[in-house]
């Protein structure tokens, strides 16, 4: 009998202890967010199927929870209570990128894995995608990750994404379709600054994009103060001659000073992080401007047709120069020393017909030069391209008639058609990293005598070296015999290696 009683008591004690344990765990669970030390497995592998495609009807900018904007009410420039940071810091960052060529220059980048995407995770791809699909498992997008993606038009973000941080999409001037997930809890400063569309503008309960601009006039000078972004119409029909933008303002918005023929000078404070599309378009009497340190992005056509502009100070912080940004600024001078150290991408026709540029090297982080970027820049004579460069676009240096010397880096992957057409190059060495050389890329080079093609070329365009009367030797790897025959290259000039 005593034996049975002892067994019963032990059993009851065990049950009691188990009950107490459950109570402690439940209380702890109620007080603290669940934190995972590490993922049990990679959620999406590189071999997984792409994320679901969305139709045009799906790409709206104003997705909100069904019960209103409660999770967004606390969104702002500061992280919400540190919860996101703490949770993400405990997740191992394991990021994978893959690229899918959809044809006609339309590239989709798929990003999978766990944790937060950082700038270095995407830097090898930042110059090419038209569409980015972030797959489930990603919790955050870090500082500057997609900044300067000039071709990026569409971004699809997964449910479960919690944060988008500072300048994550700054300067993505072509961005027009973004789906923001309901799980999003915080975003950083200027996350979508300088984009064609800013999805944060249409989120209820978010104040980060609101502007409060005040103006006063003293003689010929217009003073702009307040917070946020200067917008077109903030100073009504007034035609300013001199403009002083005061501290607190963070952006110069879309077309804000466009076609302001009276404008002669403008002073910008530190804190301005982007200059929007068409911001100073055809301000013909603007002769010089100092852009402040901290500026990240110069939007498309920002200084288009500013024929009087002779001098501009570009801070090292600038990451992207948009398409047509300085188109037709015939008197603008830029040297190697005045180009921004952080510059990653230069948009199409950004400096087309800027006939006074004299730089001899390009910044060490530059990875993308779009089509026609420096066409007809006749004062360019010699250029050393940085090791970071991956892409030289269509007709990028066409018509640079005094360009006699270029140094192409190992790491360069694509040279598009007519890129150096009608230059005066004396010789060309194409590194092994180059995979694609477009048609007539080095045609009509009046002084070209010899050229070497690297071993990595997979696609050799037609007539790459056409119409070069002084060309006597083309060194080509034996593995490229078939490509050579298809390309129409003069076989009599070939030296195999």
């Amino acid at each position: 009998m005593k034996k049975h009683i002892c067994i019963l008591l032990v059993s009851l004690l065990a049950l009691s202890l188990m009950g107490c344990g459950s109570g402690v765990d439940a209380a702890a669970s109620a007080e603290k967010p669940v934190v995972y030390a590490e993922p049990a497995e990679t959620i999406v592998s590189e071999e997984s199927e792409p994320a679901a495609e969305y139709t045009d009807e799906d790409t709206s900018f104003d997705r909100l929870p069904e019960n209103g904007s409660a999770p967004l009410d606390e969104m702002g420039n500061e992280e919400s209570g540190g919860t996101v940071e703490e949770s993400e810091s405990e997740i191992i960052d394991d990021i994978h990128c893959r690229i899918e060529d959809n044809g006609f220059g339309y590239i989709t980048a798929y990003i999978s894995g766990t944790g937060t995407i950082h700038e270095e995770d995407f830097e090898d791809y930042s110059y090419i995608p038209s569409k980015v699909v972030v797959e489930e498992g990603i919790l955050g997008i870090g500082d500057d990750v997609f900044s300067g993606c000039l071709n990026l038009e569409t971004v699809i973000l997964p449910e479960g994404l919690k944060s988008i941080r500072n300048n994550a999409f700054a300067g993505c001037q072509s961005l027009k379709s973004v789906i923001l997930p309901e799980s999003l809890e915080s975003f950083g400063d200027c996350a979508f600054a300088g984009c064609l569309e800013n999805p944060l503008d249409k989120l209820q309960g978010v104040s980060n994009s609101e502007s409060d601009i005040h103006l006063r006039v003293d003689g010929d000078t217009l003073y702009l103060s307040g917070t946020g972004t200067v917008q077109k119409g903030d100073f009504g029909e007034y035609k300013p001659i001199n403009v002083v933008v005061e501290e607190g303002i963070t952006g110069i918005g879309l077309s804000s000073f466009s076609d302001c023929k009276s404008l002669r000078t403008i002073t910008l404070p530190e804190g301005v992080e982007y200059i929007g599309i068409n911001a100073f378009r055809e301000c013909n009497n603007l002769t010089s401007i100092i852009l402040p340190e901290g500026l990240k992005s110069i939007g498309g056509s920002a200084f288009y047709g500013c024929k009087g502009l002779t001098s501009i100070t570009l801070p090292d912080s600038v990451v992207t120069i948009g398409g047509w940004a300085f188109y037709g600024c015939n008197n603008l001078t830029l040297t190697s020393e005045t180009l921004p150290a952080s510059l990653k991408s230069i948009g199409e026709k950004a400096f087309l017909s800027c006939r006074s540029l004299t730089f001899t090297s390009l910044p060490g982080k530059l990875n993308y030069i779009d089509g026609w970027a420096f066409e007809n820049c006749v004062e360019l004579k010699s250029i050393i391209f940085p090791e970071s460069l991956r892409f030289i676009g269509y007709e990028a240096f066409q018509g640079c008639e005094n360009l006699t010397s270029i140094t192409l880096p190992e790491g360069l992957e694509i040279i598009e058609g007519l890129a150096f057409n009608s230059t005066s190059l004396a010789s060309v060495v194409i590194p092994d990293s180059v995979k694609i050389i477009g048609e007539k890329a080095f045609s009509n080079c009046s002084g070209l005598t010899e050229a070497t093609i690297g071993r990595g070329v997979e696609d050799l365009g037609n007539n790459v070296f056409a119409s070069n009367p002084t060309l006597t030797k083309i060194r080509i790897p034996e593995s490229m015999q078939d490509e050579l025959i298809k390309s129409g290259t003069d076989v009599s000039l070939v030296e195999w290696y």
Side-chain angles (χ1 to χ4, degrees), residues 84 87-89 91 95 113-117 134-141 158-165 184:
V84 174
S87 298
E88 289 182 29
S89 67
I91 299 292
I95 305 299
T114 56
T116 296
I117 307 169
V134 180
E135 300 183 352
E136 289 186 10
I138 304 296
L139 297 179
I141 298 174
E159 282 300 328
L161 185 77
K162 295 183 178 180
S163 65
I164 299 174
R165 297 182 186 166
L184 188 64

mmCIF file of all heavy atoms in Angstrom, residues 84 87-89 91 95 113-117 134-141 158-165 184:
data_model
loop_
_atom_site.group_PDB
_atom_site.id
_atom_site.type_symbol
_atom_site.label_atom_id
_atom_site.label_comp_id
_atom_site.label_asym_id
_atom_site.label_seq_id
_atom_site.Cartn_x
_atom_site.Cartn_y
_atom_site.Cartn_z
ATOM 1 N N VAL A 84 12.579 45.102 -34.620
ATOM 2 C CA VAL A 84 13.028 44.598 -35.909
ATOM 3 C C VAL A 84 14.519 44.339 -35.888
ATOM 4 O O VAL A 84 14.999 43.300 -36.306
ATOM 5 C CB VAL A 84 12.660 45.597 -37.024
ATOM 6 C CG1 VAL A 84 13.247 45.145 -38.344
ATOM 7 C CG2 VAL A 84 11.159 45.727 -37.129
ATOM 8 N N SER A 87 15.355 41.206 -33.825
ATOM 9 C CA SER A 87 14.960 39.967 -34.473
ATOM 10 C C SER A 87 15.887 39.653 -35.636
ATOM 11 O O SER A 87 16.346 38.533 -35.788
ATOM 12 C CB SER A 87 13.518 40.063 -34.976
ATOM 13 O OG SER A 87 12.638 40.256 -33.893
ATOM 14 N N GLU A 88 16.156 40.668 -36.476
ATOM 15 C CA GLU A 88 16.975 40.424 -37.644
ATOM 16 C C GLU A 88 18.408 40.108 -37.266
ATOM 17 O O GLU A 88 19.080 39.328 -37.939
ATOM 18 C CB GLU A 88 16.932 41.639 -38.567
ATOM 19 C CG GLU A 88 15.592 41.798 -39.265
ATOM 20 C CD GLU A 88 15.582 42.975 -40.213
ATOM 21 O OE1 GLU A 88 16.650 43.310 -40.734
ATOM 22 O OE2 GLU A 88 14.508 43.549 -40.418
ATOM 23 N N SER A 89 18.911 40.698 -36.192
ATOM 24 C CA SER A 89 20.296 40.462 -35.819
ATOM 25 C C SER A 89 20.535 39.036 -35.384
ATOM 26 O O SER A 89 21.653 38.551 -35.414
ATOM 27 C CB SER A 89 20.714 41.435 -34.702
ATOM 28 O OG SER A 89 19.997 41.138 -33.514
ATOM 29 N N ILE A 91 19.045 36.460 -36.865
ATOM 30 C CA ILE A 91 18.896 35.599 -38.035
ATOM 31 C C ILE A 91 20.191 35.631 -38.842
ATOM 32 O O ILE A 91 20.739 36.688 -39.110
ATOM 33 C CB ILE A 91 17.731 36.080 -38.918
ATOM 34 C CG1 ILE A 91 16.421 36.030 -38.133
ATOM 35 C CG2 ILE A 91 17.623 35.248 -40.191
ATOM 36 C CD1 ILE A 91 15.928 34.651 -37.801
ATOM 37 N N ILE A 95 22.379 35.068 -48.167
ATOM 38 C CA ILE A 95 21.718 35.665 -49.321
ATOM 39 C C ILE A 95 22.276 35.083 -50.616
ATOM 40 O O ILE A 95 23.488 34.930 -50.777
ATOM 41 C CB ILE A 95 21.911 37.199 -49.324
ATOM 42 C CG1 ILE A 95 21.416 37.802 -47.997
ATOM 43 C CG2 ILE A 95 21.188 37.829 -50.504
ATOM 44 C CD1 ILE A 95 19.955 37.582 -47.700
ATOM 45 N N GLY A 113 17.030 33.467 -49.731
ATOM 46 C CA GLY A 113 17.832 33.184 -48.546
ATOM 47 C C GLY A 113 17.146 33.625 -47.282
ATOM 48 O O GLY A 113 15.912 33.630 -47.188
ATOM 49 N N THR A 114 17.949 34.009 -46.296
ATOM 50 C CA THR A 114 17.419 34.438 -45.009
ATOM 51 C C THR A 114 18.144 35.686 -44.519
ATOM 52 O O THR A 114 19.280 35.943 -44.899
ATOM 53 C CB THR A 114 17.590 33.329 -43.948
ATOM 54 O OG1 THR A 114 18.982 32.969 -43.877
ATOM 55 C CG2 THR A 114 16.782 32.092 -44.306
ATOM 56 N N GLY A 115 17.466 36.445 -43.653
ATOM 57 C CA GLY A 115 18.098 37.605 -43.028
ATOM 58 C C GLY A 115 17.931 38.865 -43.839
ATOM 59 O O GLY A 115 16.905 39.092 -44.486
ATOM 60 N N THR A 116 18.961 39.704 -43.834
ATOM 61 C CA THR A 116 18.934 41.026 -44.447
ATOM 62 C C THR A 116 19.872 41.079 -45.648
ATOM 63 O O THR A 116 21.006 40.613 -45.572
ATOM 64 C CB THR A 116 19.338 42.106 -43.425
ATOM 65 O OG1 THR A 116 18.363 42.150 -42.382
ATOM 66 C CG2 THR A 116 19.423 43.481 -44.078
ATOM 67 N N ILE A 117 19.401 41.667 -46.737
ATOM 68 C CA ILE A 117 20.252 41.895 -47.904
ATOM 69 C C ILE A 117 21.127 43.115 -47.625
ATOM 70 O O ILE A 117 20.629 44.175 -47.241
ATOM 71 C CB ILE A 117 19.410 42.170 -49.162
ATOM 72 C CG1 ILE A 117 18.367 41.072 -49.379
ATOM 73 C CG2 ILE A 117 20.303 42.299 -50.387
ATOM 74 C CD1 ILE A 117 17.335 41.425 -50.440
ATOM 75 N N VAL A 134 12.300 39.733 -54.643
ATOM 76 C CA VAL A 134 12.844 39.304 -53.353
ATOM 77 C C VAL A 134 11.940 38.191 -52.832
ATOM 78 O O VAL A 134 10.726 38.396 -52.682
ATOM 79 C CB VAL A 134 12.907 40.475 -52.356
ATOM 80 C CG1 VAL A 134 13.473 40.006 -51.018
ATOM 81 C CG2 VAL A 134 13.761 41.608 -52.928
ATOM 82 N N GLU A 135 12.510 37.039 -52.578
ATOM 83 C CA GLU A 135 11.704 35.877 -52.241
ATOM 84 C C GLU A 135 11.515 35.732 -50.734
ATOM 85 O O GLU A 135 12.199 36.388 -49.935
ATOM 86 C CB GLU A 135 12.338 34.629 -52.859
ATOM 87 C CG GLU A 135 12.415 34.738 -54.383
ATOM 88 C CD GLU A 135 12.978 33.498 -55.054
ATOM 89 O OE1 GLU A 135 13.456 32.589 -54.342
ATOM 90 O OE2 GLU A 135 12.940 33.425 -56.289
ATOM 91 N N GLU A 136 10.573 34.911 -50.334
ATOM 92 C CA GLU A 136 10.249 34.718 -48.925
ATOM 93 C C GLU A 136 11.460 34.234 -48.148
ATOM 94 O O GLU A 136 12.255 33.435 -48.637
ATOM 95 C CB GLU A 136 9.100 33.722 -48.787
ATOM 96 C CG GLU A 136 7.763 34.270 -49.250
ATOM 97 C CD GLU A 136 6.619 33.314 -48.965
ATOM 98 O OE1 GLU A 136 6.857 32.321 -48.248
ATOM 99 O OE2 GLU A 136 5.507 33.548 -49.462
ATOM 100 N N GLY A 137 11.555 34.708 -46.917
ATOM 101 C CA GLY A 137 12.693 34.385 -46.075
ATOM 102 C C GLY A 137 13.554 35.594 -45.791
ATOM 103 O O GLY A 137 14.270 35.643 -44.795
ATOM 104 N N ILE A 138 13.486 36.597 -46.669
ATOM 105 C CA ILE A 138 14.239 37.835 -46.482
ATOM 106 C C ILE A 138 13.475 38.745 -45.523
ATOM 107 O O ILE A 138 12.293 39.018 -45.726
ATOM 108 C CB ILE A 138 14.463 38.560 -47.818
ATOM 109 C CG1 ILE A 138 15.158 37.654 -48.836
ATOM 110 C CG2 ILE A 138 15.263 39.833 -47.606
ATOM 111 C CD1 ILE A 138 16.543 37.232 -48.475
ATOM 112 N N LEU A 139 14.154 39.217 -44.476
ATOM 113 C CA LEU A 139 13.512 40.068 -43.466
ATOM 114 C C LEU A 139 13.779 41.550 -43.665
ATOM 115 O O LEU A 139 12.999 42.387 -43.211
ATOM 116 C CB LEU A 139 13.997 39.667 -42.066
ATOM 117 C CG LEU A 139 13.652 38.253 -41.591
ATOM 118 C CD1 LEU A 139 14.221 38.023 -40.206
ATOM 119 C CD2 LEU A 139 12.154 38.041 -41.612
ATOM 120 N N GLY A 140 14.910 41.889 -44.296
ATOM 121 C CA GLY A 140 15.249 43.300 -44.401
ATOM 122 C C GLY A 140 16.049 43.602 -45.650
ATOM 123 O O GLY A 140 16.728 42.736 -46.214
ATOM 124 N N ILE A 141 15.953 44.857 -46.100
ATOM 125 C CA ILE A 141 16.772 45.380 -47.185
ATOM 126 C C ILE A 141 17.620 46.493 -46.596
ATOM 127 O O ILE A 141 17.100 47.483 -46.093
ATOM 128 C CB ILE A 141 15.897 45.895 -48.338
ATOM 129 C CG1 ILE A 141 15.074 44.737 -48.928
ATOM 130 C CG2 ILE A 141 16.754 46.544 -49.422
ATOM 131 C CD1 ILE A 141 14.085 45.156 -49.975
ATOM 132 N N PRO A 158 8.404 40.344 -50.553
ATOM 133 C CA PRO A 158 7.597 39.258 -49.986
ATOM 134 C C PRO A 158 6.904 39.645 -48.689
ATOM 135 O O PRO A 158 7.368 40.539 -47.961
ATOM 136 C CB PRO A 158 8.650 38.188 -49.711
ATOM 137 C CG PRO A 158 9.860 38.988 -49.310
ATOM 138 C CD PRO A 158 9.827 40.233 -50.165
ATOM 139 N N GLU A 159 5.821 38.960 -48.385
ATOM 140 C CA GLU A 159 5.284 39.043 -47.035
ATOM 141 C C GLU A 159 6.335 38.468 -46.083
ATOM 142 O O GLU A 159 6.980 37.470 -46.385
ATOM 143 C CB GLU A 159 3.986 38.243 -46.921
ATOM 144 C CG GLU A 159 2.781 38.953 -47.510
ATOM 145 C CD GLU A 159 2.498 40.294 -46.849
ATOM 146 O OE1 GLU A 159 2.782 40.427 -45.636
ATOM 147 O OE2 GLU A 159 2.006 41.204 -47.530
ATOM 148 N N GLY A 160 6.496 39.112 -44.957
ATOM 149 C CA GLY A 160 7.537 38.731 -44.019
ATOM 150 C C GLY A 160 8.657 39.749 -43.971
ATOM 151 O O GLY A 160 9.391 39.830 -42.988
ATOM 152 N N LEU A 161 8.791 40.560 -45.039
ATOM 153 C CA LEU A 161 9.786 41.631 -45.029
ATOM 154 C C LEU A 161 9.399 42.665 -43.985
ATOM 155 O O LEU A 161 8.265 43.134 -43.954
ATOM 156 C CB LEU A 161 9.878 42.283 -46.405
ATOM 157 C CG LEU A 161 10.973 43.336 -46.551
ATOM 158 C CD1 LEU A 161 12.329 42.673 -46.694
ATOM 159 C CD2 LEU A 161 10.704 44.244 -47.750
ATOM 160 N N LYS A 162 10.360 43.039 -43.132
ATOM 161 C CA LYS A 162 10.043 43.945 -42.025
ATOM 162 C C LYS A 162 10.637 45.339 -42.177
ATOM 163 O O LYS A 162 10.078 46.298 -41.655
ATOM 164 C CB LYS A 162 10.516 43.328 -40.710
ATOM 165 C CG LYS A 162 9.789 42.044 -40.342
ATOM 166 C CD LYS A 162 10.258 41.516 -38.997
ATOM 167 C CE LYS A 162 9.500 40.247 -38.601
ATOM 168 N NZ LYS A 162 9.956 39.725 -37.282
ATOM 169 N N SER A 163 11.771 45.451 -42.856
ATOM 170 C CA SER A 163 12.403 46.776 -42.897
ATOM 171 C C SER A 163 13.049 47.053 -44.242
ATOM 172 O O SER A 163 13.566 46.160 -44.905
ATOM 173 C CB SER A 163 13.470 46.893 -41.798
ATOM 174 O OG SER A 163 14.535 45.993 -42.030
ATOM 175 N N ILE A 164 12.970 48.328 -44.621
ATOM 176 C CA ILE A 164 13.683 48.867 -45.777
ATOM 177 C C ILE A 164 14.479 50.050 -45.246
ATOM 178 O O ILE A 164 13.892 50.993 -44.717
ATOM 179 C CB ILE A 164 12.718 49.306 -46.891
ATOM 180 C CG1 ILE A 164 11.902 48.118 -47.402
ATOM 181 C CG2 ILE A 164 13.477 49.951 -48.038
ATOM 182 C CD1 ILE A 164 10.817 48.500 -48.405
ATOM 183 N N ARG A 165 15.779 50.021 -45.394
ATOM 184 C CA ARG A 165 16.615 50.993 -44.681
ATOM 185 C C ARG A 165 17.081 52.137 -45.575
ATOM 186 O O ARG A 165 16.641 52.279 -46.714
ATOM 187 C CB ARG A 165 17.779 50.254 -44.027
ATOM 188 C CG ARG A 165 17.269 49.271 -42.981
ATOM 189 C CD ARG A 165 18.359 48.543 -42.260
ATOM 190 N NE ARG A 165 17.782 47.527 -41.387
ATOM 191 C CZ ARG A 165 18.478 46.555 -40.826
ATOM 192 N NH1 ARG A 165 19.785 46.448 -41.031
ATOM 193 N NH2 ARG A 165 17.883 45.669 -40.040
ATOM 194 N N LEU A 184 5.607 44.998 -43.537
ATOM 195 C CA LEU A 184 6.616 46.047 -43.408
ATOM 196 C C LEU A 184 6.370 46.882 -42.156
ATOM 197 O O LEU A 184 5.274 47.381 -41.930
ATOM 198 C CB LEU A 184 6.593 46.939 -44.648
ATOM 199 C CG LEU A 184 7.718 47.971 -44.762
ATOM 200 C CD1 LEU A 184 9.066 47.297 -44.897
ATOM 201 C CD2 LEU A 184 7.459 48.892 -45.949
#
